Amino acid sequence: MDIHSFFKYYIKIRKGEQEQNMENALIAPAQYVFLFIPTIIFSLLIPIIGVAIFAYIMALRMAPLAKAAPDKRFDQIPQRIFNVLKIWLAQYRQPRYRTAGIVHIVIFFGFLILSIRSCSLVIIGLAPDFVMPGFDGVIGHIYNVLKDYAATGVLIACCIAAWRRVVVKPARYAVPAKYGKDHTAEALFVLGLISTLMISESLFEATEVAANAKAGLHVEFLAPLSLVWFFRLMLMAASEGVLQGLHIIAYYIHDLTFFFFLCFLPLGKHFHVITSLFNVFFMRVRRGNIKPVRYGIDEDALDQLESFGVKKIEDFTWKHLLDFYSCADCGRCSDNCPANAVGRPLSPRFISIKGRDTLFKNYPIYPYGAAFKKSEPLIGSVYEEDEIWSCTTCGACEQECPIGIEYIDKIVDLRRGMVDEGLVPQSLQKPLKAIEKRGNPWGKMEKKRAEWTSGLPEGVTVKDITKEPADMLYFVDSITSYDDRMQSIGQATAMILAKGGADFGILGKDEKDAGNEIRRFGEEMLFQNVKQMNTEAILESGATRIVTADPHAYNVLKNDYTGLPPVTHISQFIAQSVKSGALRLKSAQDNKVYTYHDPCYLGRHNDVYDDPRAALDAISGLKRVEMERCGDRSFCCGGGGLMLFYEPEEEQRMGVLRVEMAAKAGANVIVTACPFCLVNMEDAIKVAGLEGQMEAIDLSELVAQHLA
């Protein structure tokens, strides 16, 4: 541009200023000239440079997702949209931690509301009269009041969040030394950026309103007691020159902060601001099941795969890498993880953080030479064997995560990789081999599976469904069949079924371990084997429905098998039979106080919470209390399944913590609806030194005692 052209442009700008001054006392950023430099140049360059840098960073961040394993996440679109509306938009899970949740909700919704204003400000820097479509009337006036209060609320929420980080310091934010430093500095920096956006936007508007008021021009209504309202009061005594300078400075501080923040988000834990919407949309819509070894590979072709499970970072699916990017480091998962609570070497939070750090290291945003680094085996470099084996797959972490991060499938995939490499704990090798040989982890003879029926009271007959047809199959599973103490659950279940008028039978020696734990411990081929044998036996039996008293069997038959008749847990049968009148229960004749412990694979994984409680409440006179951690926040008993054979490094048993919770609630009887839970509870009562003060009983046993 030559000097003549520049002065023509400058004169045009000045004419624009004069025209604008008829409506506004201040010159807009799109028309302002600073030291002979029209500031509209900055209004143009800042967005162009900011968007270009952001696009570059995002392209590199998406690279590992493109190289990751496939994942099936484009099904059940209506349910996924509902999840977005409920979990992401409505912030459904945030209030589970009340103070932090409310603060986050204020910042979240304030951010959403102010995002419209921030986007319009970018355009106002180029076209001063720009108004968002539809915001030029009543809607615009309402929005202005709303965004004024939103900016004020967000600033207050940021101050509270900073105070919590610096002063309160919730334990779940702490980072053990072995994991490096905590993220307090980054959190405070981001809170500062958000606060800067709120202050600069309010100051930009307040200077204009104050100047117009002093000049006797039209003044936009400001929300009383809002940040911008206070700024306007403070600025009424300022000169026009001061107001003009603050007006321009506030605008470009906001513009620079906005685009800097946008580019900063993909560099750390605040990436979730961008990815959380997509992560919630693609979150699992089914619970209880385990992902296949690899999507697109039929189960019959698994033996053709060269490698099983996850061994390097790209072996995870793209959704699981998106999980790593989306982790907000809030610590809720680890705060609810029973393995973490008892000192096992597992904290779900750091499964995500270490995964994200690995992605950032292998796919840096400033590539030199060979853009991406070669991935190393995850076990031994990023994750430790004991860390991965410590998980009980209880699902507490996934239930608590406010943005749909998944852990169980990742843990199982890592275990599949370890099993493929022969890295199986010594204590688990024997039960796995026993299942392979005998169909149960104890290695007992198949013909002994039905011996528990010999202890049934007179008049209760259990059919052998392989010889005599029956409408219902009672799937007993291994622990109830072979453990002397747990056989009473089988007997109680048979009594309830008989009293309820069910025509039922068992598979006897043809039944194999259901395989819930086999699959979750990464032995996929062994699981496929028992699954095939059980499926064939069940279908050949001709049964039209299945009932079980074992939540682990219930879960795997319902969610990991295909083509079976409907599966019911005994608690559901009891509740339905009591309601229909098929079962009548006697009143309780004791003064004991009962509390119900929700088994993980009945509750969190399958949403069966009400039926067991309805069964208990059907016993009139029975006094029942709830533990503090109940329902979907129930505390795992200690794993069950093959965890009975695992010897983890821990400071305290999970079952002991659970027993102490029951005692704190005022109960002296713990009722559960799972044989694995009963094993752990009875053992924990002894370890806790509460024998004689506390007892444990299975729901089936308790109901059987009160059959009328």
Side-chain angles (χ1 to χ4, degrees), residues 585-601:
L585 303 179
K586 297 182 293 186
S587 300
Q589 302 298 320
D590 56 47
N591 295 316
K592 297 176 181 178
V593 180
Y594 296 78
T595 187
Y596 176 68
H597 162 76
D598 290 277
C600 303
Y601 275 96

Side-chain angles (χ1 to χ4, degrees), residues 149-163:
Y149 283 127
T152 308
V154 169
L155 183 62
I156 294 171
C158 284
C159 293
I160 295 173
W163 177 74

Side-chain angles (χ1 to χ4, degrees), residues 558-570:
K558 177 173 176 272
N559 297 310
D560 286 323
Y561 283 57
T562 55
L564 296 185
V567 186
T568 301
H569 185 261
I570 190 62

